[in-house]
């Protein structure tokens, strides 16, 4: 690392907690970003195939959102209003109703929880338990739902779970996600066998929670049939269905909600990440009206309803979701991505494509290899990370708005990086 | 309610969850805010004695922070960067080190957790359990630490706890906060008797967590002796001391940290609310370096390290905490507040002053009376809320920057409101 | 019910808790018992196909045990000695070592827990958690391990679990017992898939606990392969293997230990029920020496080591287990039982045989039918009960020592009872 | 240790679990016992001041119980009858109603749980949770209620709690027993302050459970006022009152129930230890009829209702409790005990008397000293043990039937032993 870089980042060594992580993979200081590109302090430009882990689906600093936000701040718009009514909030809710809920025939109450995904998840499971007067929540293998204690109990990863320091992660039953037991095993059969047996020892569930495509768990995509099966089983058992659409939602898999394609209507849906459209902290829980039995302030929080996010979130909805144009583009780009990743996969024996839409990747078989490819890609100007239980999946989470040329260039860098790494490995082996 | 108001807010009835609360007490739509004043859609102006529950200690839209934020956004500064290094983050950390830590002789690592107070609290208790390999955390009566499951377990209020829907709120022992058992009882004696008895059934604690002044629990202020006693006991028992400075910190009680006056150095400190200075979602956990044993990403989160908040937070630190001027002003204003509240208390038999610094209020003896006073105050142009187990405390949380004239005017409205309510009550009684 | 019977039992209505159960199915007062027969206050004699739920494997009041016990009491032998050394205890341990452990090549430490099965189970899981420093215990669907909180958490039946009144039944993962998902499904595959995935959310287990034949769960018999598979997996995962041999042990399935046939050596084995040989309260936990890390009195109890049971238990061992004669008889009687039950099953469409050895029954498809058959059998002089999640299995647990003639007579009554019930049902249907 | 003794007990080293404890303090093999005396294999006779930890309140092998039991066994009386009606059970219940309940004006249902104290405690807390639909149970510092998971959660001793191996001991709040915070502190005030504060974080209790005199916790005797205070508070809070009378009951403190003197009527009472009168495993839970909401078999167990214990227990009731003679004797002997222990206490600076009735001891200030006194006493022919969090109390639990001469002799040995030890210590110090 060049000397001046060291100087520049020594404050992090001195003062930032060891919990920091992405800065270790991408050891530069970023100074600006526009669209799909990040610029470092050294002037170097990077294509962003990480997109804030799907928090920047519309790219960095979208000009329309940016203009609206600057106008709002300039006019002394309410920044922090607890959950009081504000013009910005009114406009967001109206846009959300008009362009998101109505066209999909959905009738949800919107709860603005603390502005992180985990806060929305916590609210969802608390409410499901209240509604059903049951405690047990069914979560799935390789699922990721957050780091606060209630969400962590739902999360599969043993490394993350160890962070609880031995505190009790209870009231949750983990069952197998589709495909997690091998391709030939019908996990729904297992799930039903466990839950429909009154002597199984698994208590009747308050809710099921799953991600349509598991973002952290390795880009495992649930089929429509599986999603429908879980929905049907939940209904049969008197449990609520919660879809965690935090990473897979907001267009990432090709539709606004990742569950739309299955034709199911969850009882609750968690949203965060790209909900503000601009990368601002923001989260919401959608609740079927009949389940919205909260007492006022029974689940509260200081930053619920970030007004700046209302402003940019409204623009995002109006700009990208007022008609079908954007969805059409997404299908096109997803195909582009599949093609590129197939080329990468073909280079690596045993590698397989994972995911859906613009949430695809390649399982290269080992975390070490995937990590080397990503590290090499970064040297070549591409920001990209891994996913999966063993970090074995090279995961592409580019902004959905990435221009074709940039997208192809990014894929090209990725393929070059993989080639470098695999050739080096071959040479080393020889 | 006037007809057009109904029209304006009907989207909330249709679409916002029943969990919303402040909008019920303050039934108007706010459109802008500057300093200590809010403006409604009807053009009416309100003095703000709520300040986003202490999230707006420097008032609304502080001009310097506002300018810096607009500049940053205009220049396409990084908005969302996960926990990568950014110029904004570097500058914030440098300012924090220079103006907050160094002058107070504090050596802390800073962990940027998900940007809400509860996320910082969750990180703190997870880490305390990891460090000590113990599970039990001692929290205190009337304490409030957040709504996610780990924090909720620490929280005293039974209404909030009921929100868990029966999920297990374990691994916590609740012990009495100073003064909670009556003025003549030394709660430290009780705490020690329970914790120093190896056959008490209370497991050895990983940590103690308390608020120097309990914001939600009724403005109960811990004495220096009590804070020192808890700190000493924690050390003796091999437990960590966590101070939750979320509501009481950032100058609210007269010093930057609310615990400073007691001369204690907690093992961890949670910060949020006014940390960004601008009302933006932002939270941090301070950790003594020897306890910073997190593995990279062991506790992660999408919105940790809100870059917009780094920008405004840095300005807040430089503007208000680079010398002692602000602290001196706070002492002056606190005296002003005490005088005003004493006048109010004198009108109500049995009423007592609570709190410390600019976090004071009056216990008027009943939640009903306190609620009526606040409601009447709102009609007269003052935004103010209650606190306490029974909402029996009228709580003043004005921006710390409120000009004297505005401050006096707000207090005058409050006193008038109390007079109206008590006189009406007297007439009704006669 | 005849008048004098009512008079005789009214004390139960007045004074015994509603939790009582068997007396409801067998509404008479029993006054004496010998071998395989019970005598009621009315002089009526009943063949016992219940045998105290497998607590009377050697029949009632075995003459040799009876004589030894009377001698012991007459000589003022120690009745209650806490866990002090007594002659009776010495003799029991020596016989146990000589006739049970040595011939099977087993090296176990014997822990005399409180004299009920659940106490032994509780000791086992406590020790497994201490040994492994892990908390999670894997139990199986339809398993039954007792009613105290730790054992109840392992138990599958939802009715029993409801008895906890909402107390936390945690630190346990329930996985499917062999056959519980249908005959064609390999449950071991599912178990491995869940436990070998580090992101499954199922914490690494301290232990596996299973019954070789599930007594309360419906006489589900694990195959040798399945038992071996679980044993192998436990070892691979660093977990202990606990076999709960309380109901299936002491010869019930044809060998002294029900797991012997599989060639596995569990890390711990729980014993109770027929361990005293005489129906006296008595329980033990066998522990591999390397896991016997208890501190003195770390798990204690007033009645651990019932000296009367040491006396009768020693006789039982010496009389029945000093050579292979008894085992040979058991095989003969098991065949007799299978033949009889097949006859019964043939009368009922869809009925299937369940179980193993002298722990067999017939799944008649519904709890109602099974209950009617047992009730009718009781009228005809046979004490017998049902088993299974829905009480759908007519379960034969005759004393292992039942003479052939009595055994045939009992089976004959059972078949007649079934015929009566099925014919009545047919007639009713016509 | 003499060589032949080693030979005799080597089976224990080879085969008994390290959890064994009393045999370590009393390293001999006992062969017979009568009344208040035990005889070792070496022919040596010991006075028994331990009485099976209060399980032998009527001495060893009481001749009347012994005769009745031999008669019963000789006549092939039912030994094991699950919870079916038997003559022995009928007679026990009738005697219990006639001589225990009626004279005290008590109306209880009797539940025969598994035959150990902890099983009765587990049943009690399960039922209290079912009745109240609350989970939290209040237990007290230094309380001891058993080793199974539910009872262990109620137990104070950290060494015992460690036996859980980290399993969750939840749903319990531990509060201070009378005197545990020093003589001048009113613990009831603390208890009320914690439980009557809706924001204390202590959930509304299902039940309170306490021992009138804490047997394992150091012979702490609750005053009548304290017991009444807890009873009153329980009623006020809608919680059930459970008295654990396992060690202190059956006459041990001077009355049949240890709580009688306070004039309270608990909602439930646990009994075990001396309930059979003969040292046989036996336990019961008394339940006010309105709380007896168990479903049949909802809490079951193989050995509930030990018929041998019904036989001896009936004799015990009829012999000792059919009039007031025994109670009068107890008062006399308690005075004798106090006098003797005072003599002992006077020898040791700072020593204080503890306990009540025939459950008294001396707190000698250190576990080491108490242990040495007991060890020396054993050498001199007295079996006696320590109690308390630090084993600092020399505890006398002689059979209640001990003849005066024997009682005086035992006390004399104890005093001699204390003298030996204290003089040796003095000499060593000089």
């Amino acid at each position: 690392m060049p000397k001046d870089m060291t100087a520049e980042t020594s404050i992090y060594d001195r003062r930032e907690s060891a919990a920091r992580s992405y800065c270790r993979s991408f050891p530069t200081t970023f100074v600006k970003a526009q669209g799909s590109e990040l610029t470092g302090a050294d002037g170097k430009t990077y294509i962003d195939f990480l997109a804030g882990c799907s928090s920047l689906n519309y790219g960095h600093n979208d000009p329309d959102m940016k203009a609206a936000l600057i106008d709002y701040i300039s006019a002394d718009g309410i920044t922090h209003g607890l959950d009081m009514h504000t013009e910005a909030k009114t406009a967001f809710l109206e846009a959300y109703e008009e362009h998101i809920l109505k066209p999909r025939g959905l009738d949800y109450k919107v709860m603005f929880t603390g502005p992180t995904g985990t806060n929305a998840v916590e609210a969802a499971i608390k409410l499901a338990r209240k509604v059903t007067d049951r405690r047990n929540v069914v979560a799935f293998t390789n699922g990721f739902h957050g780091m606060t204690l209630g969400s962590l109990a739902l999360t599969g990863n043993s490394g993350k779970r160890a962070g609880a320091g031995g505190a009790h992660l209870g009231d949750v039953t983990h069952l197998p996600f589709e495909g997690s037991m091998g391709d030939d095993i019908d996990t729904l059969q297992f799930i039903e066998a466990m839950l429909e047996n009154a002597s199984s020892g698994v208590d009747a569930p308050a809710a099921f929670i799953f991600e349509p495509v598991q973002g952290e768990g390795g880009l495992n995509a649930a089929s429509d049939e599986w999603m429908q099966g879980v929905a049907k089983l939940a209904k049969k058992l008197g449990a609520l269905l919660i879809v965690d659409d935090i990473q897979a939602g907001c267009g990432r898999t090709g539709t606004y909600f990742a569950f739309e394609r299955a034709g199911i209507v969850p009882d609750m849906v968690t949203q965060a990440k790209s909900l503000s459209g601009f990368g601002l902290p923001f989260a919401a829980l959608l609740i079927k009206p009949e389940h919205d039995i909260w007492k006022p302030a029974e689940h509260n929080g200081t930053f619920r309803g970030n007004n700046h996010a209302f402003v940019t979130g409204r623009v995002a909805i109006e700009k990208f979701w007022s008609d079908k144009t954007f969805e059409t583009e997404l299908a096109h780009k997803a195909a582009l991505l599949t093609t590129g990743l197939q080329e990468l996969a073909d280079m690596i024996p045993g590698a397989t494509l994972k995911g859906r839409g613009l949430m695809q990747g390649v399982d290269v078989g080992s975390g070490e290899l995937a990590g080397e490819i990503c590290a090499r890609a970064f040297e070549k100007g591409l920001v990209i990370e891994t996913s999966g239980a063993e970090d074995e999946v090279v995961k592409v989470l580019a902004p959905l708005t990435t221009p074709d040329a940039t997208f192809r260039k990014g894929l090209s860098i990725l393929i070059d990086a993989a080639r470098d790494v695999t050739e080096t490995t071959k040479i080393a082996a020889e």
Side-chain angles (χ1 to χ4, degrees), chain A residues 70 74 101 105 131 134 157 175 219 287 299-300 312:
Chain A
I70 289 175
S74 302
L101 297 180
V131 166
R134 299 175 179 176
N157 188 286
L175 291 173
L219 297 180
I287 307 165
H299 182 93
N300 61 13
T312 56

Side-chain angles (χ1 to χ4, degrees), chain A residues 347-411:
Chain A
M347 286 191 294
I348 300 162
T352 53
L353 263 61
K354 303 288 296 280
R356 174 175 294 150
L358 284 164
M359 192 174 184
Q360 293 187 68
V362 180
D363 179 342
V364 299
S366 91
E368 198 185 358
L369 178 55
E372 283 173 14
I373 292 171
C374 292
R376 187 80 185 100
F378 181 67
E379 289 166 16
K380 289 173 178 284
L382 182 71
V383 169
I384 184 167
E385 72 154 344
T386 63
S387 166
E390 311 292 335
D391 295 319
E392 73 282 7
V393 177
V394 174
K395 174 168 76 162
V396 177
L397 287 178
L400 310 183
T401 52
T402 307
D404 276 19
T406 311
F407 206 69
R408 286 182 207 277
K409 189 174 165 202
L411 285 169

Side-chain angles (χ1 to χ4, degrees), chain A residues 276-312:
Chain A
S276 81
F278 204 69
L280 298 174
F282 196 35
L285 175 66
L286 307 182
I287 307 165
K288 280 193 183 168
E290 62 268 34
H291 300 317
D292 183 31
I293 62 168
W294 289 114
K295 291 181 195 157
E298 195 176 15
H299 182 93
N300 61 13
T302 296
F303 296 115
R304 62 194 188 279
N306 178 357
N307 276 280
H308 286 190
F310 285 137
V311 172
T312 56

Side-chain angles (χ1 to χ4, degrees), chain A residues 11-58:
Chain A
I11 183 74
Y12 295 101
D13 295 331
R14 278 206 315 281
R15 291 294 161 211
E16 194 175 12
S17 162
R20 67 194 189 278
S21 59
Y22 285 101
C23 56
R24 300 173 193 268
S25 303
F26 310 114
T28 195
T29 298
F30 295 98
V31 295
K32 54 181 279 189
Q34 206 359 277
S36 298
E37 293 183 319
L38 288 152
T39 305
D42 55 0
K44 190 171 171 184
T45 295
Y46 298 84
I47 293 176
D48 188 359
F49 269 23
L50 175 50
C53 289
S54 204
S55 298
L56 293 160
N57 281 4
Y58 315 107

